[in-house]
Amino acid sequence: MVTKHNALIMEVLMVGLLAGCTSQVREQDAQEFNYPAIRKARAKLREGDKQSALALLNRAIDDQPTLAQAHLEVAQLYDNYAHNYVRAIYHYERYLELRPQ
């Protein structure tokens, strides 16, 4: 089980990772933000439908496993909404593999 301390460490690492992004990574992320399934998932999140957003993001990952942004958003949903920490860690790790910068 992930403790609050471990969750805080993950959040700090993510903030540090995002703060150190290169322009190439930012460009890749900008392209992924416009990926149709990610846009639809964000619309579902704005509506408060986290379950549908999670399903859309997982389908996007099935179709395009290298969508780092989708992995990050799925990880956050598993972590904060579904409380499925094993899946959250997997997707955080995939994100870091795809965006090591």
Side-chain angles (χ1 to χ4, degrees), residues 2-22:
V2 176
T3 65
K4 288 182 183 180
H5 182 266
N6 289 342
L8 179 62
I9 289 172
M10 281 194 273
E11 288 180 39
V12 168
L13 289 173
M14 292 307 296
V15 168
L17 175 70
L18 293 175
C21 285
T22 65

Side-chain angles (χ1 to χ4, degrees), residues 4 9-11 14 19 32 37 48 50 53 60 67-69 71 73 75 78 81 88 91:
K4 288 182 183 180
I9 289 172
M10 281 194 273
E11 288 180 39
M14 292 307 296
E32 290 183 8
K50 294 176 183 172
L67 286 172
Q69 189 60 40
H71 281 287
E73 293 185 28
Y78 278 131
Y81 164 68
H91 288 285

Side-chain angles (χ1 to χ4, degrees), residues 21-75:
C21 285
T22 65
S23 62
Q24 178 185 9
V25 170
R26 284 190 293 255
E27 184 178 315
Q28 290 170 326
D29 288 342
Q31 291 172 351
E32 290 183 8
F33 283 133
N34 289 320
Y35 193 79
I38 292 176
R39 283 198 331 256
K40 289 177 187 175
R42 289 207 172 121
K44 290 296 183 185
L45 284 173
R46 283 190 297 275
E47 295 169 6
D49 188 355
K50 294 176 183 172
Q51 190 62 40
S52 293
L54 187 58
L56 283 165
L57 290 166
N58 274 316
R59 273 196 300 258
I61 290 169
D62 288 343
D63 292 342
Q64 183 99 332
T66 59
L67 286 172
Q69 189 60 40
H71 281 287
L72 178 59
E73 293 185 28
V74 164

